[in-house]
Amino acid sequence: MSEKRFIVAKAGFLFLFLGLTLLQFLSFPGQFAHMRRSQGISLVIEIALTIVVGLWILCGQVALYCLWQIVESMRRNRFYSAENLKWIQRLLMSFKVASVIPAVLFLILIPQADDPGFFVMLTIVTLFIFSLTATTSLFKDQIAAKISE
C-alpha cells in the first residue's frame, strides 16, 4: 500500500488530537465561565459541564490514538492480529463511554434550556457516536473471527 496514505491519515489524526486538546483546555472552560457570567448558570453547573465535556473530549483523544495504532497495524500489514484487536477493543470502549456522556449533558442542561437547537445538535452527535460504536463492534467481531480461524 502507498505509504503516503498512511502519512495523511496519521497527520489528520494528529491535527484532530491537537484541536481537541486546544478545545479541552482553552475553549470549553472559557465558554462555560462566560455562560456563568452572562447567563447566570451556577458555578456547580459550570464545573460539572467542564468535567463532563472534558471527559467527552478525552474519549475522542483516546479514540484518535487507537485509530493511530490501528492505521500503524495496517501499514505493517498486521490488521488481522491479536495486537490490533486490542486496539479495536480500546476504540470500542472509548466510543461506549462517549455514548453515555450526552445523556449526562442532557440531564445537566435540560433545566437551563431556552433553545432546542443545542439539543437537536447533541442528539445528532449522539446518534453519530452510537453508529460508530455499533460499526466498531462489528469490526471487532469480524477481526476476532478472522484471528480465531
Side-chain angles (χ1 to χ4, degrees):
M1 286 193 240
S2 172
E3 198 67 27
K4 289 179 186 176
R5 291 187 294 172
F6 294 111
I7 292 169
V8 169
K10 286 182 165 186
F13 296 149
L14 176 65
F15 287 124
L16 282 169
F17 188 92
L18 293 173
L20 285 176
T21 303
L22 184 68
L23 287 172
Q24 185 177 28
F25 289 107
L26 299 177
S27 182
F28 282 111
Q31 175 62 34
F32 298 142
H34 172 72
M35 286 170 57
R36 184 169 54 86
R37 287 189 305 272
S38 66
Q39 298 173 1
I41 66 170
S42 72
L43 179 62
V44 173
I45 291 177
E46 176 190 346
I47 292 170
L49 285 173
T50 302
I51 291 169
V52 170
V53 171
L55 179 61
W56 206 13
I57 292 173
L58 179 63
C59 289
Q61 291 167 323
V62 169
L64 286 168
Y65 183 73
C66 291
L67 287 168
W68 176 288
Q69 294 297 329
I70 292 165
V71 167
E72 181 60 24
S73 293
M74 290 175 180
R75 189 185 68 75
R76 291 181 290 147
N77 205 20
R78 303 270 305 142
F79 186 73
Y80 294 104
S81 67
E83 175 189 343
N84 193 46
L85 182 60
K86 288 179 185 176
W87 285 111
I88 291 175
Q89 289 168 334
R90 291 173 185 141
L91 177 65
L92 180 59
M93 183 56 65
S94 73
F95 285 157
K96 286 179 179 179
V97 172
S99 296
V100 173
I101 291 173
V104 175
L105 287 173
F106 274 110
L107 292 174
I108 292 171
L109 294 173
I110 284 290
Q112 309 284 327
D114 62 352
D115 177 19
F118 173 76
F119 295 104
V120 171
M121 182 191 69
L122 188 59
T123 302
I124 291 168
V125 169
T126 303
L127 290 172
F128 179 68
I129 294 171
F130 277 134
S131 66
L132 287 175
T133 304
T135 304
T136 304
S137 179
L138 294 170
F139 284 151
K140 179 187 73 81
D141 293 345
Q142 289 292 314
I143 292 171
K146 182 87 170 178
I147 292 171
S148 65
E149 286 179 358

